[in-house]
C-alpha cells in the first residue's frame, strides 16, 4: 500500500495537480495554448517502471489519435484570404494588419484544399511513437508476430495507421500486420458517431449545437473575448470586420484557431503575435472548457457525454481476450481526440474525472492540451512462466493509475483491471439508459 501511495503522489505531481496552474504551464510551454493542436513531444519521456520479477511484456492494446494536421476547415483558410485581401485593397489595415496580411497571403497557397490533412509532422509523430514502442517492448514485436491494426475512415487516421505500421515493419520485416478500415468499426473507434447505436443525432460529435452545455460555453466565450480590442490592432476601424461577419466574437475565436493549428504545419509561420498573453490564456481557457463540458466530467449532461465511450472500453477488454487466445502480439487503433478524452473520464482516472465548482475552475482541473496531436493510450500486458498476467496503463507514454488498489502499481492484475473496466462499462450503460438526449432547439 505504501508503494501505491508513493506512485500516486508522483503521478499527481507529474500531471501538475500540485504544481503549476494551467496559465503558468502555457507561459512555460507556449505551444500548449494550442489546446488539441498542441504537438506531441519528441523526447523527455519517463523511464518505464520496472515490472515485478519474472514478468515480461507480450501484448499491447493501443488507441492513438491521428498526428498533426491542418485546421479541419478548408473554408476558414479561404475566408481569411478573401477577407484580408479585400481589407488590404480597401486600405483598411493597420501596420500590424498589413504585416499579418503579407504573411498569411504567402502561406495561403500552401493551405488550399488541405483542411484536415495529415502533415509530415503528424507522420513523424506516429513513426516516433511506433519506434519507442518497439524499442521499449522488444519481446512483444519479436519474430513473425501478428498485429491487428484498425482505423476510422478519416484519411488522416488511415495515414497515421500506415506510418505507424510501416515503422514497425522497418524495424522487424517479419511482422504480420493486418490493416482494416471499415464503417462497422466506427462504433468503438469513434464512439460519438451515429454508427454507435446508443448515439442520437443530438448527441453526435463533440460540439453539437443541441448540447445542454452550449449556453455555458458561449457565456464563457463572451466573457473571455474582446473583439473590439483585438480587431482594433488589425483594422483602422474595428467595425470593418462586420463586413465579413455578424459575429465578431466567433471571428476572433477563428483567428485563435488559425494560430493554434499553424504549429502543426510543415510551413513555418506563427500568428501568436496577433494576441496579448492574456488573450491567449482566455481564448485557450474557453476552448478547453468546451471539451471539459462535451467529453469531460462536467455534470450538466449527467455523464452522457463520456458514457458512449463504453464501446471502446468493451473493445479493449474483448479485443485483448481474443488476441491473447489467438496469439496476436498487438492491437492498434487509430482515431480521434474525443475518444481519448471520454475514455479517460469514463475510467474515472484522477485528473480526468473531477467536476469543477465553477466554469473558471475547470482550467486547472482538466486541460485539452493533454490530448495533443498524436495522443495515445496503451495497455501493456506482461506474463510470467506460470501464465499470470499483469497490465500497465499509459497515457502519452507515461504511467497512469487506475482507482483500484494494487501492491505492484503502476501494474495491475489483469483480472482485477478487467473487472474494474466492466464495472465502469455497466455505469456507462446505466447513464445512457436513464438520461435523455438533448432536445432539438
Amino acid at each position: 500500500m505504501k508503494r501505491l501511495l508513493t506512485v500516486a503522489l508522483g503521478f499527481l505531481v507529474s500531471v501538475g495537480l500540485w504544481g503549476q496552474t494551467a496559465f503558468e504551464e502555457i507561459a512555460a510551454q507556449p505551444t500548449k495554448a494550442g489546446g488539441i493542436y498542441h504537438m506531441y513531444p519528441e523526447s523527455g519521456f519517463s523511464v518505464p517502471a520496472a515490472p515485478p520479477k519474472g514478468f515480461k511484456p507480450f501484448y499491447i492494446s493501443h488507441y492513438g489519435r491521428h498526428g498533426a494536421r491542418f485546421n479541419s476547415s478548408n473554408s476558414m483558410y479561404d475566408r481569411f484570404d478573401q477577407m484580408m485581401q479585400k481589407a488590404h485593397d480597401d486600405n483598411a489595415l493597420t501596420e500590424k494588419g498589413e504585416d499579418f496580411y503579407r504573411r498569411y497571403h504567402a502561406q495561403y497557397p500552401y493551405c488550399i484544399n488541405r483542411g484536415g490533412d495529415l502533415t509530415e509532422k503528424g507522420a513523424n509523430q506516429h513513426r516516433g511513437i511506433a519506434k519507442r514502442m518497439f524499442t521499449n517492448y522488444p519481446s512483444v514485436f519479436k519474430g513473425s508476430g501478428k498485429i491487428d491494426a484498425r482505423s476510422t475512415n478519416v484519411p488522416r487516421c488511415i495515414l497515421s495507421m500506415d506510418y505507424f505500421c510501416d515503422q514497425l515493419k522497418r524495424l522487424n520485416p517479419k511482422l504480420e500486420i493486418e490493416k482494416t478500415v471499415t464503417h462497422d468499426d466506427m462504433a468503438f473507434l469513434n464512439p460519438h458517431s451515429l454508427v454507435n447505436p446508443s448515439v442520437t443525432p443530438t448527441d453526435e460529435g463533440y460540439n453539437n449545437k443541441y448540447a445542454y452545455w452550449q449556453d455555458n460555453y458561449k457565456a464563457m466565450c463572451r466573457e473571455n473575448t474582446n473583439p473590439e480590442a483585438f480587431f482594433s490592432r488589425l483594422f483602422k476601424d474595428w467595425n470593418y470586420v462586420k463586413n465579413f461577419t455578424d459575429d465578431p466574437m466567433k471571428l476572433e475565436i477563428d483567428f485563435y484557431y488559425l494560430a493554434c493549428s499553424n504549429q502543426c504545419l510543415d510551413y513555418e509561420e506563427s500568428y501568436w503575435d496577433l494576441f496579448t498573453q492574456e488573450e491567449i490564456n482566455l481564448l485557450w481557457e474557453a476552448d478547453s472548457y468546451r471539451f471539459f463540458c462535451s467529453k469531460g466530467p462536467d455534470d450538466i449532461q449527467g455523464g452522457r457525454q463520456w458514457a458512449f465511450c463504453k464501446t471502446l472500453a468493451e473493445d479493449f477488454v474483448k479485443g485483448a481476450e481474443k488476441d491473447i487466445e489467438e496469439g496476436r502480439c498487438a492491437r492498434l487503433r487509430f482515431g480521434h481526440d474525443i475518444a481519448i478524452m471520454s475514455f479517460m473520464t469514463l475510467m474515472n482516472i484522477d485528473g480526468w474525472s473531477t467536476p469543477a465548482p465553477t466554469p473558471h475552475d475547470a482550467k486547472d482541473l482538466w486541460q485539452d492540451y493533454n490530448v495533443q496531436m498524436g495522443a495515445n493510450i496503451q495497455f501493456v500486458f506482461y506474463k510470467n512462466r506460470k501464465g499470470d498476467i499483469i497490465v500497465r496503463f499509459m497515457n502519452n507514454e507515461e504511467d497512469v493509475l487506475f482507482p483500484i488498489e494494487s501492491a505492484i502499481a503502476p501494474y495491475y492484475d489483469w483480472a482485477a483491471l478487467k473487472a474494474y473496466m466492466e464495472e465502469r462499462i455497466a455505469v456507462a450503460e446505466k447513464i445512457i439508459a436513464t438520461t435523455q438526449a438533448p432536445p432539438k432547439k
Side-chain angles (χ1 to χ4, degrees):
M1 189 66 183
K2 182 177 180 182
R3 156 105 175 135
L4 175 62
L5 179 61
T6 301
V7 175
L9 294 178
F11 170 66
L12 290 171
V13 172
S14 73
V15 298
L17 296 179
W18 291 355
Q20 295 173 304
T21 66
F23 288 166
E24 289 170 341
E25 286 192 44
I26 288 172
Q29 191 175 354
T31 58
K32 287 186 174 182
I36 60 169
Y37 289 96
H38 177 45
M39 296 291 285
Y40 198 81
E42 297 178 359
S43 59
F45 301 96
S46 300
V47 176
K53 185 177 180 180
F55 283 87
K56 292 184 178 180
F58 73 100
Y59 171 73
I60 295 176
S61 186
H62 151 280
Y63 186 101
R65 185 192 182 193
H66 58 75
R69 59 164 169 80
F70 284 77
N71 190 286
S72 58
S73 172
N74 275 323
S75 62
M76 190 198 75
Y77 287 121
D78 299 337
R79 184 159 49 91
F80 269 96
D81 186 67
Q82 294 162 7
M83 177 177 64
M84 297 311 296
Q85 183 64 60
K86 179 169 174 49
H88 169 74
D89 293 343
D90 290 347
N91 193 30
L93 296 172
T94 63
E95 182 177 346
K96 191 175 188 67
E98 285 288 345
D99 177 65
F100 171 67
Y101 159 73
R102 288 189 295 270
R103 290 187 287 152
Y104 185 75
H105 192 64
Q107 176 189 332
Y108 175 62
Y110 170 76
C111 299
I112 296 173
N113 295 324
R114 298 296 307 277
D117 285 359
L118 191 76
T119 65
E120 184 63 21
K121 287 182 178 180
N124 286 334
Q125 286 169 341
H126 281 280
R127 292 184 184 113
I129 297 166
K131 184 176 181 179
R132 287 189 296 276
M133 183 185 286
F134 185 96
T135 302
N136 289 337
Y137 308 104
S139 59
V140 173
F141 299 103
K142 64 184 180 180
S144 54
K146 294 179 174 60
I147 297 173
D148 185 305
R150 297 171 183 266
S151 170
T152 68
N153 54 16
V154 178
R156 60 181 173 271
C157 298
I158 297 170
L159 286 172
S160 295
M161 175 177 68
D162 284 343
Y163 286 118
F164 194 107
C165 293
D166 288 350
Q167 180 65 59
L168 292 178
K169 287 285 284 185
R170 288 191 185 96
L171 295 167
N172 179 5
K174 294 181 180 180
L175 290 172
E176 298 179 14
I177 304 177
E178 181 178 354
K179 302 177 190 175
T180 303
V181 180
T182 172
H183 189 68
D184 191 50
D185 286 346
M186 293 289 281
F188 63 87
L189 290 177
N190 187 3
H192 303 92
S193 66
L194 289 175
V195 180
N196 185 338
S198 301
V199 175
T200 75
T202 57
D203 290 312
E204 186 184 13
Y206 72 94
N207 199 21
N208 196 297
K209 65 181 180 179
Y210 305 113
Y212 295 122
W213 54 266
Q214 284 282 4
D215 289 343
N216 291 351
Y217 164 64
K218 291 174 182 176
M220 181 178 283
C221 287
R222 288 191 294 270
E223 184 179 350
N224 283 26
T225 57
N226 187 341
E228 180 175 357
F230 176 73
F231 288 116
S232 292
R233 295 196 294 272
L234 300 178
F235 300 95
K236 294 176 181 177
D237 178 358
W238 89 272
N239 286 291
Y240 181 85
V241 302
K242 295 178 181 178
N243 292 311
F244 308 102
T245 181
D246 58 2
D247 190 351
M249 180 188 76
K250 184 179 184 305
L251 186 59
E252 180 184 351
I253 293 170
D254 284 345
F255 268 86
Y256 162 74
Y257 289 144
L258 178 68
C260 290
S261 57
N262 250 40
Q263 65 181 285
C264 298
L265 308 187
D266 306 308
Y267 187 100
E268 296 294 333
E269 183 60 81
S270 172
Y271 297 127
W272 289 119
D273 61 303
L274 301 178
F275 305 88
T276 66
Q277 187 59 52
E278 182 180 18
E279 287 171 338
I280 291 171
N281 289 345
L282 294 177
L283 286 162
W284 167 79
E285 179 188 19
D287 195 54
S288 187
Y289 180 66
R290 174 170 61 122
F291 288 103
F292 177 84
C293 293
S294 65
K295 293 295 167 281
D298 185 76
D299 57 10
I300 196 169
Q301 295 185 79
R304 188 176 181 87
Q305 68 275 17
W306 47 258
F308 297 120
C309 206
K310 77 178 187 70
T311 53
L312 177 58
E314 288 170 335
D315 192 68
F316 273 124
V317 172
K318 294 177 182 177
E321 292 190 319
K322 179 180 179 181
D323 291 341
I324 292 171
E325 180 181 348
E326 297 180 358
R328 292 184 188 85
C329 67
R331 181 172 292 256
L332 309 173
R333 306 166 184 85
F334 297 85
H336 305 274
D337 49 1
I338 58 177
I340 295 176
M341 292 175 183
S342 54
F343 179 80
M344 298 293 283
T345 308
L346 166 63
M347 288 295 108
N348 197 28
I349 291 172
D350 205 357
W352 291 88
S353 57
T354 306
T358 71
H360 288 293
D361 289 317
K363 65 180 178 296
D364 291 318
L365 293 170
W366 198 97
Q367 300 87 28
D368 63 348
Y369 53 65
N370 290 320
V371 192
Q372 63 268 59
M373 295 293 178
N376 58 89
I377 49 184
Q378 300 178 28
F379 290 85
V380 184
F381 287 66
Y382 295 69
K383 65 181 176 181
N384 60 15
R385 290 183 177 179
K386 295 188 296 183
D388 301 324
I389 297 177
I390 61 174
V391 184
R392 73 186 305 173
F393 176 70
M394 293 183 293
N395 175 217
N396 298 335
E397 302 178 68
E398 299 286 353
D399 285 318
V400 173
L401 299 181
F402 276 85
I404 56 178
E405 289 197 16
S406 173
I408 55 172
Y411 296 86
Y412 298 89
D413 176 76
W414 169 230
L417 182 56
K418 174 187 169 185
Y420 174 77
M421 294 179 69
E422 289 174 340
E423 288 176 8
R424 294 302 298 169
I425 290 167
V427 168
E429 289 173 343
K430 183 176 181 180
I431 288 172
I432 292 170
T434 58
T435 58
Q436 293 183 341
K440 289 188 176 181
K441 297 180 181 179

